[in-house]
Amino acid sequence: MIHIWERCKSNERQAQSELYNLFASKMYALCLRYARDQDEANDMLQNGFIKVFSKCEMYEGKGSLEGWIRRVMVNTAIESLRKNKIQFLSTDQLTVREMEFSSTASLNHLDYKDLLNLIKRLPMGYRTVFNLYVIEGYNHKEISEMLNISEGSSKSQLSRARNWLKERIQKMEELGI
């Protein structure tokens, strides 16, 4: 992979294509966690790889290349969300549609895909903080800096996201779904 990366740094299109093919599916899955839909995820992915190739000199070889690409993708996703002016909602601001619950998943059979589908249904502000904290491993200070919110807001959004998910899982259990 280092050989491919060295060729990417020389703007070799074939090497860029090879690197893209190596990481696109993983990075697309990452982008989907932040995007409203597949089109937005595709835009995030493309913009992220443009940054990877245009700023390749920023990767100093410390840590894994995949980890660096992942960070570029997360930053690109957050930048996209900022441009779209995501809102951080309180529970009383949620619309009835967002509060409705329907799922075919069973709590006894709740798998990774079912959980990801629930996470995807979180209101955008909740989902963003949840993804950054739980999945990406950022702390509240880092999240607050990335999203230009207070640490308290980050903690509140995470707590609300967890409660939102807990309520839906409990509802699934009650309905026997």
Side-chain angles (χ1 to χ4, degrees):
M1 184 165 15
I2 298 301
H3 178 67
I4 293 171
W5 182 245
E6 290 302 319
R7 292 174 31 228
C8 285
K9 287 168 53 175
S10 299
N11 286 324
E12 187 182 313
R13 296 280 183 219
Q14 179 62 37
Q16 290 173 341
S17 178
E18 290 174 32
L19 189 77
Y20 179 89
N21 290 332
L22 276 172
F23 294 111
S25 62
K26 283 183 183 179
M27 298 308 142
Y28 178 70
L30 180 150
C31 292
L32 267 177
R33 288 199 307 268
Y34 294 93
R36 297 179 210 283
D37 55 37
Q38 292 178 337
D39 289 337
E40 187 175 40
N42 278 320
D43 288 345
M44 289 174 178
L45 181 70
Q46 295 308 314
N47 290 335
F49 270 105
I50 288 169
K51 288 179 183 176
V52 165
F53 297 133
S54 65
K55 300 180 184 229
C56 57
E57 73 282 349
M58 294 182 77
Y59 175 63
E60 299 171 350
K62 296 176 184 170
S64 75
L65 177 60
E66 181 177 346
W68 181 78
I69 292 171
R70 180 180 194 82
R71 186 163 185 103
V72 170
M73 291 296 166
V74 168
N75 289 335
T76 301
I78 297 303
E79 182 181 295
S80 174
L81 294 175
R82 273 194 212 128
K83 285 180 186 173
N84 292 326
K85 300 191 187 320
I86 59 163
Q87 294 186 354
F88 294 89
L89 306 173
S90 63
T91 358
D92 56 323
Q93 292 174 299
L94 296 176
T95 64
V96 174
R97 188 175 146 263
E98 290 168 323
M99 293 296 284
E100 288 175 358
F101 182 80
S102 65
S103 175
T104 57
S106 165
L107 186 59
N108 295 330
H109 298 94
L110 189 66
D111 64 14
Y112 182 72
K113 274 187 169 180
D114 296 325
L115 186 57
L116 283 180
N117 284 331
L118 280 176
I119 292 168
K120 192 160 185 71
R121 294 182 56 221
L122 281 165
M124 187 58 78
Y126 295 4
R127 181 172 45 161
T128 302
V129 173
F130 184 87
N131 281 327
L132 289 169
Y133 187 87
V134 174
I135 298 174
E136 303 299 336
Y138 290 100
N139 64 42
H140 290 294
K141 184 176 193 303
E142 293 168 321
I143 294 168
S144 70
E145 291 169 359
M146 292 170 85
L147 300 177
N148 296 323
I149 60 174
S150 70
E151 283 185 57
S153 290
S154 177
K155 291 175 184 178
S156 172
Q157 293 294 304
L158 178 62
S159 175
R160 290 175 180 166
R162 286 179 170 160
N163 287 334
W164 191 97
L165 290 168
K166 181 180 172 186
E167 288 171 11
R168 268 112 196 116
I169 291 170
Q170 286 174 341
K171 181 86 168 182
M172 289 170 67
E173 187 176 49
E174 289 169 12
L175 295 173
I177 301 175

